[in-house]
Amino acid sequence: MKLIYILPIGQTDPKIIRYLSKQLLGYLHFPTKVLGAIALPASAYDKNRQQYRAGQIIREIRLFDFSNIEKVLGIIGADLYSEDFSFVYGEAEAPGRNALFSLARLDPQYYDQPANQELVKKRALKEATHELGHTYSLSHCPDTHCVMYYAQSIEDVDNKEEKFCARCQKLYEMYNS
Ligand SMILES: [Zn+2]
Ligand SMILES: [Zn+2]
């Protein structure tokens, strides 16, 4: 049986990881398994930006090699960037095996708002499903409520739902049947 492996990178909230591990099965068809955390890869850190380069971390995730890997989803507490963007919520091979997203900007405390774990869980599930959606060949969706909508702000993230819209769900099943 193939598994979606969840890989915590650096320090992350174990409650969030456990929640994702349970909930992802509701949207994708594979069971999940949480791996032991790996250290933040120093090679991906940009001192000036104080952020980690998403593409470099994807390269690290690519090194994981077991026989029953369906996908590997990295979850990092630190903030991410990619060359053309001041920050990214996540990145994925589209299509591919490996995906990554950051919890940093999903935490209301990042915006000087009170801590709210339920909100972080909700946001994290959206980002996890979004990045894994890319690995299953889905691209961005114009429907602002669809999980594949390209969120550029936390308001965009909050505005979308945890699941694929009907069109994306159909595409997901067509590409992966
Ligand atoms: Zn995307
Ligand atoms: Zn959609």
Side-chain angles (χ1 to χ4, degrees):
M1 169 64 104
K2 288 204 158 196
L3 299 175
I4 295 178
Y5 283 93
I6 295 178
L7 174 67
I9 303 167
Q11 277 209 332
T12 53
D13 183 343
K15 283 191 199 127
I16 305 279
I17 303 289
R18 268 201 303 277
Y19 172 80
L20 290 177
S21 158
K22 275 197 203 129
Q23 295 296 316
L24 278 174
L25 191 54
Y27 301 114
L28 306 166
H29 300 319
F30 294 90
T32 56
K33 189 177 159 94
V34 178
L35 293 164
I38 61 165
L40 288 165
S43 63
Y45 189 63
D46 184 310
K47 263 189 202 149
N48 295 323
R49 305 178 67 129
Q50 302 190 313
Q51 289 173 308
Y52 285 80
R53 189 147 50 94
Q56 178 63 27
I57 297 181
I58 292 275
R59 275 190 283 280
E60 303 272 338
I61 297 174
R62 225 172 261 154
L63 301 175
F64 278 80
D65 188 18
F66 323 117
S67 57
N68 63 346
I69 294 179
E70 167 66 14
K71 306 287 180 190
V72 184
L73 173 65
I75 304 178
I76 188 167
D79 200 23
L80 296 174
Y81 78 97
S82 84
E83 282 62 24
D84 307 329
F85 300 97
S86 60
F87 79 94
V88 290
Y89 290 114
E91 193 166 306
E93 296 168 351
R97 194 200 74 176
N98 305 296
L100 167 71
F101 80 96
S102 163
L103 293 167
R105 290 177 193 247
L106 306 183
D107 187 341
Q109 293 176 99
Y110 183 89
Y111 310 95
D112 295 321
Q113 289 162 3
N116 183 339
Q117 198 179 51
E118 289 310 305
L119 184 58
V120 178
K121 281 180 181 170
K122 250 187 157 178
R123 289 170 171 174
L125 181 56
K126 293 174 190 182
E127 291 314 298
T129 308
H130 180 98
E131 297 306 337
L132 286 169
H134 282 315
T135 67
Y136 285 109
S137 304
L138 293 179
S139 40
H140 287 147
C141 176
D143 179 345
T144 56
H145 296 297
C146 174
V147 79
M148 292 313 296
Y149 182 72
Y150 174 41
Q152 289 174 282
S153 68
I154 199 65
E155 289 77 22
D156 287 347
V157 174
D158 287 339
N159 194 39
K160 57 184 189 175
E161 286 165 27
E162 293 89 349
K163 352 171 238 192
F164 302 132
C165 71
R167 177 182 152 273
C168 289
Q169 182 66 37
K170 248 189 206 152
L171 288 172
Y172 168 72
E173 271 152 29
M174 194 176 88
Y175 294 149
N176 303 289
S177 56

